[in-house]
C-alpha cells in the first residue's frame, strides 16, 4: 500500500498535478504546489461542492471572509488558549512526535481540545526506541504582524479554520439575507496550522483548504439536522467516486470530543498509509455564538419572526478538507490496467472532476488537412469545457497518456473524417471506440462540465 502512495506522488509530479513548493531552492517542508492539472481537479471539487451545497439549496448562503481576523476572535473561540498539540521529543534520535499519535489511532483527535487524551504510560520513540521527553503543549496558531512595527499590538493570526468567520458574521449575514432558521453559511478557503508533524503528501500540511458549513438551528432539532448532514456527506462521497467500503464513520467519545461539541463523527478514509480522518461532522451547540456575544458585547441572538422568541442558535458543522478530498479522489480513481508490459494507469475520475473532459488528436501531425479539421473540432469543444490537444507519437501512446490523467474521451480525426465528417471516440473506462458525427460530438460527450 505504501508503494501505491509513492506511485501516486510520482504520477502527480510527473504529470503536473501536485509537486513540492519552491523546489529549485530545496523546497519548503511539506508545502506543495498544485500544477496545471491539479488546480483543475481541485477547482472542480470546490465548484461541485459549491454548486451542490450553496446553489442547489435555498437554505445555505456563501461567504468569503478575510484570512486575517481581529485576534479577539481567537481569544473568544478558545484557539489562543487551547488549540494545542501534545509534543514529545526523542532524547536519543531527536525526532519529534505528537504524543496523541503514539496512542491507538481511535484516540487521536486533531482539533481544538487535542490535549484530552493522555499519552500512554511511558511511551518510547517509535523510531529508535529511545526515551521521550515530557509532553509539552504546542500552540498551532500561525502568527504574523500587521503593519511595519513588529510589536505585541501588531500580532495577528492566520485563521486555523474557516468556521469562525461564519460565527462572527452571523448577525450581518442573517440581517442582509433575511434567512430564517434553519439556514447555513458556507465558505471555502485557506486555513493555517503550525502542525508538529505534517506529512503524507497533501494529507497534513501547514497551509490547506477547507470547505465548511455552519448550519444554524433550534436546539431541539439538532439530532434531525445532524442526521441530515450525515446523509449529505455520504452523498458527496458517492459523488466523488469513493467506495463505501473504504469509509469508516467513527463516533468520537465524550472524552475525545472538543469541549464545544455534544456529538462528533469523524469520517475516515482508508488511505494507502492507513485509516485517517477525511472529514468531520460536529454538533457545536451554541458555544461559539455565545462566546462571541460575551467577548464582543454584541447581541447575537436570533429573533424568531413567528414566535418573537429570542435565542442563540445552535450549530451543526459539516467540514470537508479540500486537499484531503483531492488525495482521496486520486487514491480511489487510481487503477492499473493490463498485465506486465501492457500495464498502464487509468485515473477513473468522475467526469465532472476530470481536468480535461476530452482530448483531440489528428492521426498524423504532418498532414495539414487532418490537423486543420482536428483543430476546428478542438476549438469548438473548448468553448464548452477544457480539452487537451496531442499530436505526438502513436495513437495508443496518446490514449495511455490521457488515461493516466483521467480524460474520459479521446477523439481521433483520421483520413475518413475528411470525407464522412465523423471522428473516432474512445472511452477511457471501457476502451470501446465509436464513430461519431462531428456535429453530434457535444451531445455525445455530454456537457456536465
Ligand atoms: N471547523 C472544524 C475543523 O476545523 P478539523 O477536524 O480540525 O475541524 C476539518 O478540520 C477538516 O480540515 C479535516 O477533516 C481535514 O479534512 C482538514 N484538515 C485539518 N487539518 C489539516 C491539515 N493540517 N492539512 C490538511 N487538511 C487538514
Amino acid at each position: 500500500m505504501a508503494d501505491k502512495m509513492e506511485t501516486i506522488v510520482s504520477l502527480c509530479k510527473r504529470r503536473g498535478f501536485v509537486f513540492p513548493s519552491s523546489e529549485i531552492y530545496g523546497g519548503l517542508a511539506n508545502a506543495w504546489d498544485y500544477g496545471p492539472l491539479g488546480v483543475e481537479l481541485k477547482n472542480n471539487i470546490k465548484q461541485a461542492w459549491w454548486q451542490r451545497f450553496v446553489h442547489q439549496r435555498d437554505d445555505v448562503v456563501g461567504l468569503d471572509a478575510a484570512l486575517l481576523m481581529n485576534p479577539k476572535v481567537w481569544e473568544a473561540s478558545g484557539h489562543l488558549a487551547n488549540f494545542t498539540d501534545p509534543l514529545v521529543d526523542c532524547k536519543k534520535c531527536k525526532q519529534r512526535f505528537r504524543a496523541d499519535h503514539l496512542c491507538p489511532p481511535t484516540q487521536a483527535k486533531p482539533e481544538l481540545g487535542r490535549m484530552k487524551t493522555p499519552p500512554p504510560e511511558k511511551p518510547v520513540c517509535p523510531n529508535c526506541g529511545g526515551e521521550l521527553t515530557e509532553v509539552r503543549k504546542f500552540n498551532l496558531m500561525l502568527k504574523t504582524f500587521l503593519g511595519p512595527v513588529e510589536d505585541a499590538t501588531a500580532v495577528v493570526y492566520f485563521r486555523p479554520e474557516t468556521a469562525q468567520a461564519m460565527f462572527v458574521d452571523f448577525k450581518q449575514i442573517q440581517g442582509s439575507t433575511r434567512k430564517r432558521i434553519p439556514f447555513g453559511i458556507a465558505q471555502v478557503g485557506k486555513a493555517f496550522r503550525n502542525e508538529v508533524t505534517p506529512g503524507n503528501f497533501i494529507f497534513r500540511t501547514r497551509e490547506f483548504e477547507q470547505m465548511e458549513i455552519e448550519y444554524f438551528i433550534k436546539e431541539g432539532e439538532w439530532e434531525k439536522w445532524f442526521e441530515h448532514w450525515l446523509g449529505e456527506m455520504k452523498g458527496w462521497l458517492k459523488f466523488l467516486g469513493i467506495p463505501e467500503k473504504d469509509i469508516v464513520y467513527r463516533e468520537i467519545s465524550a472524552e475525545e470530543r472538543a469541549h464545544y461539541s455534544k456529538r462528533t463523527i469523524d469520517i475516515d478514509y482508508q488511505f494507502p498509509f492507513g485509516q485517517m480522518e477525511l472529514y468531520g461532522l460536529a454538533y457545536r451547540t451554541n458555544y461559539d455564538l455565545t462566546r462571541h456575544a460575551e467577548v464582543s458585547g454584541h447581541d447575537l441572538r436570533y429573533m424568531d419572526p413567528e414566535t418573537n422568541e429570542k435565542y442563540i442558535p445552535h450549530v451543526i458543522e459539516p467540514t470537508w478538507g479540500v486537499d484531503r478530498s483531492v488525495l482521496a479522489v486520486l487514491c480511489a480513481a487510481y487503477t492499473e490496467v493490463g498485465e506486465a508490459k501492457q500495464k498502464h494507469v487509468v485515473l477513473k475520475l468522475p467526469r465532472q472532476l476530470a481536468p480535461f473532459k476530452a482530448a483531440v488528436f489528428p492521426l498524423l501531425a504532418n498532414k495539414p488537412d487532418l490537423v486543420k479539421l482536428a483543430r476546428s473540432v478542438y476549438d469548438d469543444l473548448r468553448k464548452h469545457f477544457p480539452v487537451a490537444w496531442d499530436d505526438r507519437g502513436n495513437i495508443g501512446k496518446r490514449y495511455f497518456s490521457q488515461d493516466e490523467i483521467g480524460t474520459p474521451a479521446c477523439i481521433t480525426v483520421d483520413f475518413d473524417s475528411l470525407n464522412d465528417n465523423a471522428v473516432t471516440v474512445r472511452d477511457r473506462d471501457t476502451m470501446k471506440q465509436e464513430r461519431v458525427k462531428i456535429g453530434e460530438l457535444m451531445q455525445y460527450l455530454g456537457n456536465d462540465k
Side-chain angles (χ1 to χ4, degrees):
M1 284 299 259
D3 283 357
K4 179 172 172 182
M5 200 56 216
E6 271 172 36
T7 318
I8 289 174
V9 173
S10 115
L11 168 74
C12 282
K13 181 164 163 53
R14 187 162 41 80
R15 298 304 306 265
F17 280 95
V18 183
F19 37 79
S21 165
S22 39
E23 205 179 11
I24 60 166
Y25 289 104
L28 176 71
N30 298 290
W32 300 91
D33 291 346
Y34 286 77
L37 298 183
V39 68
E40 295 294 335
L41 173 58
K42 183 154 106 152
N43 281 346
N44 289 343
I45 290 175
K46 292 192 284 186
Q47 276 159 15
W49 185 91
W50 196 262
Q51 195 182 25
R52 192 179 183 102
F53 295 121
V54 182
H55 290 172
Q56 288 177 5
R57 298 182 64 117
D58 61 9
D59 60 347
V60 178
V61 292
L63 171 68
D64 182 11
L67 275 177
L68 299 169
M69 303 171 78
N70 188 311
K72 287 213 171 78
V73 171
W74 311 113
E75 188 189 311
S77 67
H79 282 86
L80 284 183
N82 300 319
F83 196 49
T84 54
D85 263 352
L87 180 76
V88 287
D89 291 296
C90 174
K91 289 183 181 170
K92 201 166 141 200
C93 72
K94 307 291 177 211
Q95 271 213 37
R96 181 160 288 173
F97 303 95
R98 254 174 64 180
D100 57 337
H101 282 178
L102 305 177
C103 305
T106 50
Q107 293 180 24
K109 179 63 191 133
E111 63 171 342
L112 205 60
R114 291 168 185 233
M115 281 295 286
K116 282 195 172 156
T117 308
E121 298 231 331
K122 269 279 162 226
V124 289
C125 172
N127 185 41
C128 71
E131 197 188 334
L132 297 173
T133 59
E134 289 298 306
V135 177
R136 284 175 289 142
K137 277 189 179 187
F138 174 75
N139 194 289
L140 301 173
M141 300 287 286
L142 211 72
K143 227 189 249 183
T144 188
F145 298 93
L146 268 194
V149 184
E150 295 191 2
D151 64 13
T153 59
V155 168
V156 288
Y157 301 89
F158 287 99
R159 64 185 181 194
E161 59 172 5
T162 60
Q164 292 303 322
M166 274 90 97
F167 298 126
V168 300
D169 291 347
F170 164 74
K171 222 33 207 291
Q172 155 68 33
I173 291 174
Q174 195 274 323
S176 60
T177 61
R178 307 220 161 271
K179 285 283 172 200
R180 290 189 182 183
I181 277 176
F183 81 95
I185 306 177
Q187 189 171 197
V188 178
K190 293 256 179 177
F192 297 80
R193 296 182 187 176
N194 211 352
E195 296 282 359
V196 176
T197 51
N200 283 325
F201 193 32
I202 51 174
F203 176 81
R204 181 173 287 110
T205 49
R206 295 188 171 115
E207 172 183 347
F208 57 96
E209 259 183 296
Q210 293 182 317
M211 307 183 283
E212 296 198 292
I213 296 173
E214 305 305 320
Y215 197 76
F216 300 94
I217 54 163
K218 273 189 177 156
E219 182 176 8
E221 296 186 344
W222 78 265
E223 276 151 317
K224 176 178 108 181
W225 287 111
F226 194 94
E227 286 312 312
H228 170 84
W229 282 105
L230 187 57
E232 291 294 308
M233 295 184 93
K234 286 183 182 174
W236 170 254
L237 286 164
K238 193 166 176 201
F239 161 73
L240 291 186
I242 298 181
E244 183 71 37
K245 68 172 178 49
D246 295 334
I247 297 289
V248 178
Y249 295 88
R250 198 156 48 84
E251 190 78 46
I252 304 299
S253 69
E255 299 74 54
E256 291 304 309
R257 281 197 301 264
H259 57 277
Y260 55 70
S261 167
K262 273 213 176 136
R263 187 176 178 199
T264 298
I265 288 184
D266 275 1
I267 302 177
D268 289 2
Y269 174 65
Q270 310 276 7
F271 287 97
F273 44 84
Q275 181 191 317
M276 300 281 200
E277 176 183 334
L278 175 59
Y279 303 142
L281 176 63
Y283 166 38
R284 285 182 85 127
T285 65
N286 62 358
Y287 175 83
D288 301 271
L289 284 182
T290 306
R291 284 292 298 147
H292 288 303
E294 278 167 15
V295 176
S296 71
H298 281 262
D299 182 359
L300 298 182
R301 285 176 301 170
Y302 167 79
M303 197 182 60
D304 189 317
E306 274 159 28
T307 62
N308 284 340
E309 186 196 354
K310 269 189 156 186
Y311 62 92
I312 297 202
H314 281 235
V315 169
I316 301 295
E317 179 195 66
T319 175
W320 294 258
V322 175
D323 311 81
R324 288 187 194 178
S325 300
V326 171
L327 184 55
V329 162
L330 285 170
C331 293
Y334 181 89
T335 318
E336 287 178 358
V337 177
E339 302 285 320
K341 271 194 174 167
Q342 286 299 310
K343 200 164 82 174
H344 80 284
V345 171
V346 183
L347 264 195
K348 295 196 171 180
L349 296 171
R351 181 180 190 277
Q352 206 176 333
L353 302 185
F356 294 116
K357 311 305 174 194
V360 175
F361 314 149
L363 183 65
L364 296 172
N366 57 358
K367 298 287 171 197
D369 287 358
L370 283 188
V371 173
K372 190 169 168 221
L373 182 59
R375 203 78 205 173
S376 79
V377 170
Y378 171 65
D379 287 337
D380 280 351
L381 291 179
R382 264 192 319 151
K383 289 178 192 141
H384 304 278
F385 41 68
V387 184
W389 169 267
D390 192 357
D391 57 9
R392 291 154 307 165
N394 71 46
I395 292 290
K397 281 200 177 138
R398 290 187 234 174
Y399 284 156
F400 284 9
S401 167
Q402 293 300 322
D403 286 350
E404 200 178 45
I405 60 170
T407 310
C410 290
I411 299 161
T412 306
V413 175
D414 54 25
F415 291 105
D416 288 342
S417 307
L418 299 173
N419 301 317
D420 66 2
N421 233 16
V423 288
T424 301
V425 183
R426 182 258 196 190
D427 182 90
R428 177 193 70 194
D429 298 334
T430 63
M431 296 189 205
K432 285 210 178 105
Q433 301 188 7
E434 274 190 75
R435 202 76 191 156
V436 179
K437 287 277 178 211
I438 290 173
E440 291 165 14
L441 261 179
M442 268 302 295
Q443 202 189 345
Y444 181 87
L445 296 171
N447 186 19
D448 64 357
K449 292 256 154 106

